[in-house]
Every structure is written in C-alpha cells, then in structure tokens.
C-alpha cells in the first residue's frame, strides 16, 4: 500500500508536512481527518466537543478512519493527536500505509499552540501541563508507528525526503 500516514501531538507539524508531501505527490489525495469531520458535520471540532462531547468526537474520528482505511491507494493522511490511542484506529492505520510519528519537544509544541484557541483539550488553566500529560500518556502508542522522526533535528524538506524514501515513493516534482 503506498499510503502515507502522519501522526503526532497537536502542533507537531502534521498539517504542514502533509501539504508539502502533497505538493511533491500531485496524484495523491491529502486527507486531514479533523478537516474531514468538520466538513461532514458542518461544525468545528471545538463545537463538536462543546455541544456533544469528547466521546462523541472520538466515535466520529473512529468511523472516519475506518472509512478512509477501507478505501484505495495514494493517500496522505494526517490524523488528530488523539486518534492513534484507539487500538482499532491503530491497527487499521498500521495496515493501511506507512505511519510516521512526528516527534517534537514539549516546549516547541507549547510555543506553537500557546496562541491557539481552537484546540478544545487545551482550553484550561494549565495547557502546558495538559500537553505534557497527554504526550506522556500517548508516547508509547506513537512509537508503534513504523517510523519516528525527530522533527527538532531536521528541517521540513528533509522530513519530506525521509518520508518519501521510507515509503519507497518517487516524487514527480
Ligand atoms: C486532539 C487533537 C486535535 C483534534 C482534537 C483532539 C487531541 O487535532 O483531533 O482537538 O486529542 O490531541 P490536532 O492534533 O490536529 O491538533
């Protein structure tokens, strides 16, 4: 399967790397599970959390991932930061393509999200601690990805090159 799957914490660069990969691979479809959920529900992720619940969002996320993973080839998929926690999601994604964990330092993640009000799990008194707790809780599962890329060490072009090589995909651009 020549699908590429990007996983990692909020603000780890999944969206940015997904877009860069998609420029290199014009015949690939770029799918961001959060954007797809917002489109199908006609509602922002924060409103889904507010008006329904996190559990409701997780169910939508699960259904979205199962649908994507039962479709065909040539996809670049970027998933929400909590999606790889669900064992069904993990199993489906690990089978559907090559998975890449974009690993970032907590300080960098926090710096990037500190001005952002769109991430419902981090709208509280101590978002940095929340982020750290989430990272510690999730890291073992993130590391089940086929590859871990330390994004603090290399620039975005190198990350893209690494992903293309590891997935054995030739870029036409
Ligand atoms: C979440 C991350 C968000 C989004 C939702 C929950 C999480 O996606 O799926 O707010 O549990 O970490 P990003 O990782 O794209 O911010």
């Amino acid at each position: 399967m020549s699908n590429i799957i990007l996983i990692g914490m909020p603000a780890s660069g999944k969206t940015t790397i997904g877009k860069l990969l998609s420029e290199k691979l014009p015949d690939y479809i770029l799918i961001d599970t959060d954007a797809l959920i917002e489109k199908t529900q006609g509602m922002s992720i924060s409103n889904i959390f507010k008006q329904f619940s996190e559990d409701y969002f997780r169910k939508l996320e699960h259904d979205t991932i199962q649908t994507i993973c039962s479709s065909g080839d040539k996809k670049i998929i970027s998933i929400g930061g909590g999606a790889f926690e669900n064992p069904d999601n993990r199993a489906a994604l690990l089978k559907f393509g090559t998975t890449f964990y974009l690993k970032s330092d907590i300080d960098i993640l926090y710096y990037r999200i500190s001005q952002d009000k769109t991430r419902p799990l981090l709208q509280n008194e101590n978002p940095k601690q929340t982020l750290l707790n989430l990272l510690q809780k999730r890291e073992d599962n993130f590391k089940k990805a086929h590859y871990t890329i330390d994004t603090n060490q290399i620039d975005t072009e190198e990350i893209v090159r690494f992903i293309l090589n590891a997935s054995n995909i030739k870029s036409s651009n």
Side-chain angles (χ1 to χ4, degrees):
M1 274 281 191
S2 65
N3 294 305
I4 296 173
I5 297 142
L6 304 174
I7 70 166
M9 288 293 282
S12 57
K14 293 167 289 181
T15 306
T16 308
I17 299 298
K19 283 185 186 148
L20 290 172
L21 280 166
S22 133
E23 284 167 17
K24 299 260 179 214
L25 301 171
D27 54 339
Y28 275 60
I29 299 171
L30 175 62
I31 304 173
D32 175 311
T33 57
D34 283 342
L36 188 55
I37 292 169
E38 290 187 329
K39 195 169 164 209
T40 53
Q41 299 303 304
M43 208 187 267
S44 68
I45 301 292
S46 10
N47 278 342
I48 296 174
F49 270 70
K50 260 188 240 147
Q51 291 185 27
F52 298 95
S53 62
E54 178 174 352
D55 281 355
Y56 183 81
F57 168 74
R58 296 296 172 199
K59 169 94 179 62
L60 293 173
E61 186 175 55
H62 171 267
D63 294 349
T64 304
I65 288 172
Q66 297 304 319
T67 305
I68 296 169
C69 292
S70 57
S71 66
D73 230 355
K74 296 201 169 176
K75 298 200 169 66
I76 302 160
I77 303 152
S78 137
I79 63 169
F84 214 59
E85 286 293 282
N86 176 315
D88 279 358
N89 293 348
R90 246 182 357 253
L93 291 161
L94 284 165
K95 213 165 128 207
F96 190 59
T98 313
T99 47
F100 296 89
Y101 166 35
L102 304 184
K103 182 175 159 59
S104 277
D105 283 351
I106 187 78
D107 289 330
I108 293 180
L109 293 174
Y110 182 64
Y111 173 76
R112 292 194 192 133
I113 62 150
S114 51
Q115 301 308 320
D116 184 350
K117 298 271 171 279
T118 64
R119 290 184 163 99
L121 291 177
L122 302 169
Q123 304 312 309
N124 57 46
E125 299 263 291
N126 197 342
K128 188 165 186 183
Q129 189 58 45
T130 307
L131 198 62
L132 186 59
N133 295 345
L134 285 175
L135 177 61
Q136 284 168 346
K137 181 165 166 275
R138 292 172 175 177
E139 184 116 68
D140 283 350
N141 283 330
F142 283 147
K143 286 187 173 158
K144 293 177 184 161
H146 295 105
Y147 295 93
T148 293
I149 304 178
D150 188 339
T151 61
N152 303 132
Q153 306 298 327
I154 56 176
D155 68 23
T156 49
E157 277 301 317
E158 284 175 277
I159 296 172
V160 167
R161 225 175 303 132
F162 178 88
I163 292 175
L164 293 174
N165 278 337
S167 332
N168 218 0
I169 300 173
K170 297 254 172 301
S171 149
S172 51
N173 278 352

